[in-house]
Every structure is written in structure tokens, then in C-alpha cells.
Amino acid sequence: MIRILLADDEAMIRAGVGAILGVDPSFQIVAEAGDGRQAVDLAISHRPDVALLDIRMPKLDGLAAAAEIRRVAPGTAIIMLTTFGEDDYIAKALDVGASGFLLKSGDPRELIAGIHAVAGGAAYLSPKVAQRVISQLSGGQMARGAAARDRIDALTDREKEVLALVGEGLSNAEIAKRLFIVEGTVKAYVSTILTRLEVRNRVQAAIVAYEAGLVGQDR
């Protein structure tokens, strides 16, 4: 059972997301918050596996709430719910430890897949969000792509395979199954990849994978 905290200041959005999550019997919404401060308090008391946070909320915005939740409940993975008009917020959310980024207007299947991914320790970027993040961070996607390809030159072929699967949002266990290796070996590969790419987490590694063309952005 994946225990979920849902935080959004609009009750209708919470109801809609709750209805989507209700189709998956492995999900349990353990708490709902109408503002960022309440989200932090509920994260402390319920210790959910995943927190779905709207970026714009009263009292404490999603970014500040995410940073606080990562501090007080480090076992809780964060997914930010965003809109196309909030690119600046998405870029900043990378720095507060969010593991996933999803569009409120996106395919409901992406929401379900994203929760499963981050609950399993993976990163998840909605393909459309990934394109926006890359563009927003880059100031020139072609230049970023060339730089990313230079960065992955430091990786072995196997490490590039692992990086591509990280970019697809697969967990360590799923990568191990895909490549027919043990999960401990995948963990070692991921650690080496983060070090060689000089990134801090799987989300940033996934973005490099997108930029370098290891993951198709039109999927």
C-alpha cells in the first residue's frame, strides 16, 4: 500500500485527484491539506510514502513545504503538481528535493505511473514537463543537448543504459529486472552516474538523460 498526502488549496482539484487515485487499489490517501503549512504538519503526523503538492498554496507555498517535508520527513517522496505557466517554480523545485513533476492537465495515467515511480525510489518527469524544464533551464536546448552529450561521454555504455532507464522513471528494482542484474549493482551504477555527472539526485540525472537524447521527449 502506497500512503499518499494530497495538498492543494482547491477542494475540487483534491477531489479530482482523489478520484483518479481511487482506481488503483494500491493507493491510500491518508491525509489532505488545503495549504502548505498544514501539509507539513500532516507529513509529520502521518509519514506518507508520497506527498503530492501544489506549487501555489497559501500560508506556505509548495516549494517551501517540499523543503520542510524533506527535512522533517525524509522518507516521504515529493511530487510537484504544476501548470505550464509555472516554469520558474519547476526549476526551483529541483533544488528542494522533489522526485517528480506532473501537469495538472496531464494524462491521469501519468499521475498513477509517477506515484508508483517515486514510491519505488525513482524519479518521474512527465514528458511534457521534462521538455519545459529543460527549455527553462537551458536558454537554448541545442546548446544544452551538446553539453549533456559531452557529460555522458564520461560514462560507460552500461552506465548510459542505466541512465536512460533512470530517465524513463524506472526504479532500481525495475532497472535490475530490465538489465538482468541484481539491484545492488544498479544502486552502485546510479551512485557512480550521479558522481560522474556531478548531479545531486535522480531527477537531475533524468534531465541530463533527456537533454542528451537518451530518452525520447515525444513519448
Side-chain angles (χ1 to χ4, degrees):
M1 185 67 67
I2 299 174
R3 303 172 69 255
I4 299 167
L5 164 64
L6 173 58
D8 194 295
D9 60 329
E10 296 186 37
M12 188 173 294
I13 295 294
R14 295 200 306 271
V17 172
I20 293 169
L21 300 185
V23 305
D24 191 319
S26 66
F27 294 158
Q28 179 186 11
I29 298 178
V30 296
E32 293 188 22
D35 61 69
R37 175 49 59 195
Q38 186 181 25
V40 174
D41 292 341
L42 290 173
I44 294 172
S45 59
H46 289 275
R47 301 287 170 168
D49 301 304
V50 177
L52 291 174
L53 304 179
D54 182 22
I55 284 184
R56 296 192 181 191
M57 291 188 288
K59 297 186 180 178
L60 198 66
D61 68 25
L63 294 174
E68 187 68 7
I69 290 172
R70 292 297 297 154
R71 185 181 70 82
V72 300
T76 298
I78 306 292
I79 293 179
M80 306 303 299
L81 297 175
T82 182
T83 67
F84 269 131
E86 296 171 335
D87 294 10
D88 289 341
Y89 290 92
I90 298 172
K92 292 174 183 176
L94 286 170
D95 293 327
V96 298
S99 298
F101 300 88
L102 294 166
L103 288 173
K104 289 183 178 180
S105 59
D107 189 324
R109 291 172 296 182
E110 290 183 2
L111 177 60
I112 293 172
I115 292 174
H116 279 292
V118 302
Y124 189 88
L125 294 171
S126 162
K128 290 182 179 179
V129 173
Q131 292 179 48
R132 301 287 292 195
V133 172
I134 292 167
S135 177
Q136 200 278 334
L137 291 176
S138 67
Q141 188 169 336
M142 291 181 64
R144 290 281 293 191
R149 287 189 291 274
D150 287 342
R151 292 173 74 182
I152 68 170
D153 280 344
L155 305 180
T156 66
D157 288 343
R158 176 61 91 176
E159 288 165 354
K160 290 176 184 176
E161 283 185 275
V162 173
L163 176 60
L165 296 176
V166 168
E168 290 182 18
L170 273 63
S171 67
N172 287 346
E174 291 169 330
I175 293 172
K177 188 174 182 179
R178 180 80 65 87
L179 298 180
F180 303 102
I181 56 180
V182 299
E183 189 173 348
T185 301
V186 176
K187 291 180 181 179
Y189 276 130
V190 171
S191 178
T192 299
I193 289 167
L194 297 183
T195 299
R196 290 185 176 175
L197 295 181
E198 298 182 347
V199 296
R200 292 187 296 174
N201 55 50
R202 295 173 76 108
V203 175
Q204 292 176 339
I207 289 174
V208 174
Y210 272 88
E211 291 174 332
L214 295 179
V215 182
Q217 297 179 18
D218 58 349
R219 301 201 300 174

